[in-house]
């Protein structure tokens, strides 16, 4: 609301963030776990006095350095670039809340760079003990970076007490902080093993290749096993709403979870096969499978984490569209256009309705919906909705679908958005088709008047087996059934239709 929207209708910012982030995460976790892998493997070479392992470690270090420093660094900068264009309000909040967190992070990043350069360029030219210490310094600094970034990222999923006390420490050590640290650490050790496969698959010496593949496989499998309880812990500690999204209320997350489970199984299977097999050509193919599956696993986790705070960017505080929850009521009264900084019109008129609707869509829906793109396309999702249905949907969008923010603005603005969605995007007339006779509208009446608060299951558990006359009478005084419920103010004909519908659905006596 306080910033302009970067509008690329078919693509959508969310997808761009996700793509850059997943690639970056895949490399930056390797930068942590791979550090441990290097020192521990070097130690193994020293202990076993095995020159072939030492040569492997050196080769792997070079690859590691190039990948994490160059590619990891570039994608890290790309993330900042992309999030500040796509969600400036949230980016600004993160910077302001965690200034010292970021500063500390950059210090450790510098330590990482220096330590890694020293480690690589002194390979074989320094005594073992000192070289090992440098390796440990690298890993320590890298892990502390993970520690710091996790604190800041998890803040968005669940800011906990920060919302009331605004304290840096509450924002940093949120309830999901520790499970997240464990989960990410294990992920990073798992990736270290996966990348170990990659270097090993290029080894010519049969015996070393076999040894290093088995060795890397142990990293992968052990970390995968340990990541499961950490993931569980993470899920168990999520705020209620976020957990119900993760457990199936959100279609996006359900899809991500399927990808995650499939990747996990493929990853484990490919790693085990790799450890048992010893054919050079197959090693490369299976390594590619392992890498893709590992990316699917990490990607599914990050995607879930992103989608899980919907409809917020900072859970319970700032909605995806950059609006603070505490401002919603005021804006609803004063109007969105009056409060927004980057809109063309300040009031809705007959003439500008379509343009205003389009702006409102960009400001409030485009954060998650593309227009004609493959990712959550609004055209597909609104094509069957009439103007009337759209008006009702917008009025209760957040109550019906928790993962979407409420529409924010006054009545005229909400109307303009509906006009744009129906007439502007879907090119449909605003006049609804002739309504079906009241008698046949039971399902629709239920949808409109009851589902804002609860589903049919609640009704069914109470009214199962009730004769029609009892159901019909109950509809006259719903508050008597349960004081938490308002009376239904439909006409007698509507109540008849609704009663018929309920009886039919519950299979009650006629
Ligand atoms: C925080 C993200 C987010 C925002 C913001 C958002 N939506 Fe959605 N919307 C979703 C998701 C996720 C779905 C479900 C997609 C699926 O079924 O795969 C969805 C589905 C829909 C559907 C299909 C019907 C349904 O209930 O599943 C409509 C219509 C819709 N959105 C309209 C809107 C409009 C209009 C706005 C702006 C006022 C908006 N959305 C803002 C995330 C969002
Ligand atoms: C403003 C919110 C709201 C609306 C609208 C609403 N209900 Fe309810 N209803 C509730 C609440 C709260 C309960 C308590 C039970 C629960 O949610 O688990 C409830 C419970 C019920 C029950 C079970 C009674 C019980 O105590 O076990 C029935 C039957 C029912 N509702 C029917 C309807 C019908 C039919 C409509 C639409 C005409 C409707 N409700 C609309 C809030 C609402």
């Amino acid at each position: 609301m306080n910033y302009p929207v970067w509008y690329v209708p078919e693509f959508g910012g969310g997808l761009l963030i996700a793509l850059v982030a997943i690639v970056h995460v895949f490399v930056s976790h390797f930068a942590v776990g791979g550090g441990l892998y290097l020192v521990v493997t070097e130690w193994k070479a020293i202990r076993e006095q095995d020159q072939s392992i030492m040569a492997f470690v050196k080769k792997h270090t070079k690859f590691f350095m190039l990948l994490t420093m160059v590619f990891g660094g570039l994608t890290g900068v790309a993330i900042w670039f992309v999030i500040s264009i796509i969600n400036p309000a949230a980016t600004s909040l993160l910077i302001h809340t965690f200034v010292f967190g970021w500063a500390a992070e950059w210090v450790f990043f510098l330590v990482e760079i220096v330590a890694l350069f020293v480690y690589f360029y002194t390979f074989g030219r320094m005594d073992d003990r000192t070289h090992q210490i440098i390796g440990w310094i690298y890993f320590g600094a890298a892990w502390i970076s993970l520690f710091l970034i996790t604190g800041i990222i998890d803040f968005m999923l669940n800011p906990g007490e920060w919302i009331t006390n605004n304290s840096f420490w509450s924002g940093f050590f949120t309830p999901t902080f520790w499970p997240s640290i464990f989960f990410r650490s294990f992920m990073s050790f798992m990736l270290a093993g996966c990348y170990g496969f990659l270097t090993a698959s290029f080894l010519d010496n049969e015996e070393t290749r076999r040894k290093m593949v088995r060795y890397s496989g142990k990293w992968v499998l052990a970390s995968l096993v340990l990541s499961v309880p950490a993931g569980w812990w993470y899920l168990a500690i999520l705020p209620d709403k976020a957990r119900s999204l993760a457990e199936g209320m959100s279609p996006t997350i359900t899809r991500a979870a399927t990808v995650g489970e499939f990747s996990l199984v493929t990853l484990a299977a490919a790693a085990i096969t790799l450890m048992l097999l010893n054919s050079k050509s197959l090693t490369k193919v299976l390594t590619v499978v392992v890498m893709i599956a590992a990316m699917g696993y990490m990607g599914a986790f990050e995607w879930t984490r992103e989608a899980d705070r919907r409809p917020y960017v900072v859970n319970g505080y700032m909605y995806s569209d950059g609006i603070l929850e505490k401002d919603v009521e005021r804006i609803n009264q004063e109007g969105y256009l009056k409060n927004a900084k980057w809109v063309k019109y300040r009031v809705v008129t007959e003439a500008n309705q379509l343009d205003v609707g389009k702006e409102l869509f960009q400001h409030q829906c485009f954060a998650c919906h593309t227009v004609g793109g493959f990712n959550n396309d609004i055209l597909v999702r609104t094509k069957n909705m009439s103007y009337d249905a759209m008006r009702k949907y917008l009025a209760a969008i957040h109550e019906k679908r928790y993962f979407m923010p409420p529409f924010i603005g006054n009545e005229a603005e909400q109307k303009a958005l509906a006009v744009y969605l129906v007439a502007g995007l879907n090119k449909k007339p605003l006049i609804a088709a002739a309504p079906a006779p009241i008698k046949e509208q039971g399902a629709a009446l239920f949808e409109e008047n009851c589902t804002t608060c609860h589903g049919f299951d609640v009704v069914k558990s109470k009214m199962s087996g009730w004769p029609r006359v009892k159901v019909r009478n109950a509809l006259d005084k719903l508050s008597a059934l349960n004081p938490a419920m308002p009376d239904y103010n439909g006409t007698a004909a509507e109540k008849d239709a609704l009663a018929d519908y309920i009886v039919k659905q519950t299979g009650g006596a006629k």
Side-chain angles (χ1 to χ4, degrees):
M1 185 170 69
N2 292 325
Y3 300 90
V5 176
W6 186 50
Y7 186 55
V8 203
E10 288 89 15
F11 203 70
L15 189 63
L16 190 60
I17 295 186
L19 288 181
V20 181
I22 287 174
V23 176
H24 177 70
V25 156
F26 197 60
V27 174
S28 60
H29 280 75
F30 174 45
V32 178
L36 184 67
Y37 181 93
L38 287 179
V39 267
V40 172
T41 316
E42 186 193 15
W43 184 47
K44 177 180 164 74
I46 297 170
R47 222 180 27 198
E48 297 175 11
Q49 304 217 323
D50 186 330
Q51 280 311 312
S52 62
I53 298 184
M54 196 55 106
F56 167 87
V57 177
K58 186 163 182 201
K59 190 172 174 180
H60 195 54
T61 308
K62 186 167 184 188
F63 163 69
F64 178 82
M65 187 172 73
L66 286 174
L67 187 71
T68 58
M69 292 286 130
V70 181
F71 194 73
L74 281 177
T75 48
V77 174
I79 289 196
W80 277 102
F81 194 73
V82 169
I83 60 170
S84 58
I85 293 179
I86 290 167
N87 207 328
T91 309
S92 163
L93 179 71
L94 277 190
I95 294 178
H96 285 98
T97 312
F98 293 110
V99 181
F100 288 103
W102 294 115
E105 155 67 19
W106 286 322
V107 170
F108 283 100
F109 193 49
L110 189 66
V111 175
E112 266 181 70
I113 296 176
V114 174
L116 187 55
F117 276 127
V118 174
Y119 186 77
F120 177 68
Y121 285 106
T122 59
F123 222 110
R125 293 199 250 146
M126 194 184 251
D127 66 287
D128 289 343
R129 203 183 118 80
T130 321
H131 197 249
Q132 281 265 287
I133 290 177
I134 307 259
W136 281 110
I137 291 177
Y138 171 83
F139 170 64
W143 190 80
I144 294 174
S145 304
L146 179 142
F147 185 89
L148 291 166
I149 297 272
T150 301
I152 297 174
I153 286 183
D154 261 51
F155 163 78
M156 296 188 283
L157 178 58
N158 179 11
E161 291 182 357
W162 175 88
I163 292 193
T164 41
N165 67 15
N166 262 297
S167 127
F168 176 96
W169 297 112
S170 308
F172 191 85
F173 290 110
T174 57
T176 46
F177 179 78
W178 287 111
S180 190
I181 286 282
F182 277 94
F183 188 76
R184 285 182 184 281
S185 298
F186 292 133
M187 282 295 102
S188 81
F189 302 146
M190 180 207 73
L191 281 180
C194 296
Y195 281 93
F197 283 149
L198 200 62
T199 302
S201 71
F202 283 94
L203 291 177
D204 290 323
N205 182 304
E206 180 110 14
E207 203 198 306
T208 321
R209 188 179 71 236
R210 187 167 170 170
K211 206 186 313 175
M212 294 329 289
V213 164
R214 290 209 162 174
Y215 172 77
S216 303
K218 286 181 197 154
W219 280 73
V220 173
L221 294 178
S223 315
L224 263 190
V225 169
L226 289 170
S227 78
V228 174
W232 232 304
W233 184 15
Y234 192 76
L235 201 62
I237 224 156
L238 284 176
D240 283 350
K241 290 283 191 188
R243 193 166 57 242
S244 66
L245 286 181
E247 286 172 350
M249 295 280 282
S250 158
T252 327
I253 296 185
T254 311
R255 273 192 298 266
T258 314
V259 172
E261 283 156 20
F262 182 74
S263 306
L264 185 68
V265 174
T266 313
L267 181 58
I272 293 172
T273 320
L274 259 175
M275 290 169 77
L276 298 176
L277 272 187
N278 184 34
S279 118
K280 186 158 193 214
S281 51
L282 217 61
T283 304
K284 283 203 177 122
V285 175
L286 282 173
T287 301
V288 173
V289 175
V290 163
M291 294 307 268
I292 294 173
M295 192 169 224
Y297 187 44
M298 282 241 67
F301 170 72
E302 297 295 339
W303 190 277
T304 307
R305 189 184 53 75
E306 290 276 325
D308 211 34
R309 51 190 159 130
R310 281 175 178 172
Y312 298 96
V313 244
V314 176
N315 220 334
Y317 183 73
M318 181 190 277
Y319 284 114
S320 310
D321 43 27
I323 297 169
L324 298 186
E325 189 177 82
K326 67 177 164 56
D327 294 337
V328 168
E329 224 163 282
R330 180 177 55 79
I331 299 176
N332 279 344
Q333 285 181 359
E334 297 172 4
Y336 184 85
L337 299 178
K338 285 214 170 61
N339 281 283
K341 293 216 170 77
W342 294 84
V343 291
K344 197 157 151 201
Y345 303 97
R346 297 287 162 195
V347 263
V348 191
T349 63
E350 279 290 317
N352 70 15
Q353 221 174 24
L354 264 178
D355 288 338
V356 167
K358 184 171 181 183
E359 279 193 317
L360 288 168
F361 172 78
Q362 293 175 4
H363 282 268
Q364 297 198 23
C365 318
F366 179 63
C368 306
H369 289 285
T370 57
V371 183
F374 83 93
N375 182 33
N376 213 354
D377 182 6
I378 193 76
L379 291 177
V380 177
R381 293 193 162 62
T382 51
K383 91 174 171 274
N384 294 326
M385 293 168 88
S386 68
Y387 174 70
D388 280 347
M390 186 62 78
R391 288 293 306 277
K392 288 196 179 111
Y393 187 78
L394 290 179
I397 185 165
H398 178 61
E399 288 74 24
K400 278 199 176 138
R401 299 290 253 174
Y402 171 78
F403 52 77
M404 280 188 257
F407 171 79
I408 298 161
N410 58 30
E411 179 87 17
E413 290 164 346
Q414 194 207 89
K415 215 168 130 190
L417 178 58
V419 168
Y420 172 69
L421 290 170
V422 175
L425 280 182
N426 286 291
K427 312 274 179 262
K428 287 207 299 206
L430 293 179
I431 314 120
I438 298 277
K439 261 163 68 118
E440 288 160 28
Q441 283 182 12
L445 287 169
F446 186 79
E447 181 72 27
E448 272 163 32
N449 297 290
C450 320
T451 50
T452 37
C453 297
H454 55 70
F456 197 79
D457 50 325
V458 172
V459 177
K460 192 166 181 177
S461 67
K462 181 80 177 181
M463 295 184 156
S464 237
W466 280 22
R468 185 185 179 288
V469 51
K470 193 170 169 195
V471 173
R472 177 63 185 78
N473 287 340
L475 289 178
D476 279 333
K477 191 121 191 77
L478 282 180
S479 57
L481 263 190
N482 193 310
M485 191 163 32
D487 283 328
Y488 172 45
N489 56 7
T491 62
E494 283 170 343
K495 285 178 184 166
D496 283 340
L498 188 54
D500 287 342
Y501 170 74
I502 293 175
V503 172
K504 195 161 148 236
Q505 294 296 310
T506 52
K510 286 278 157 186

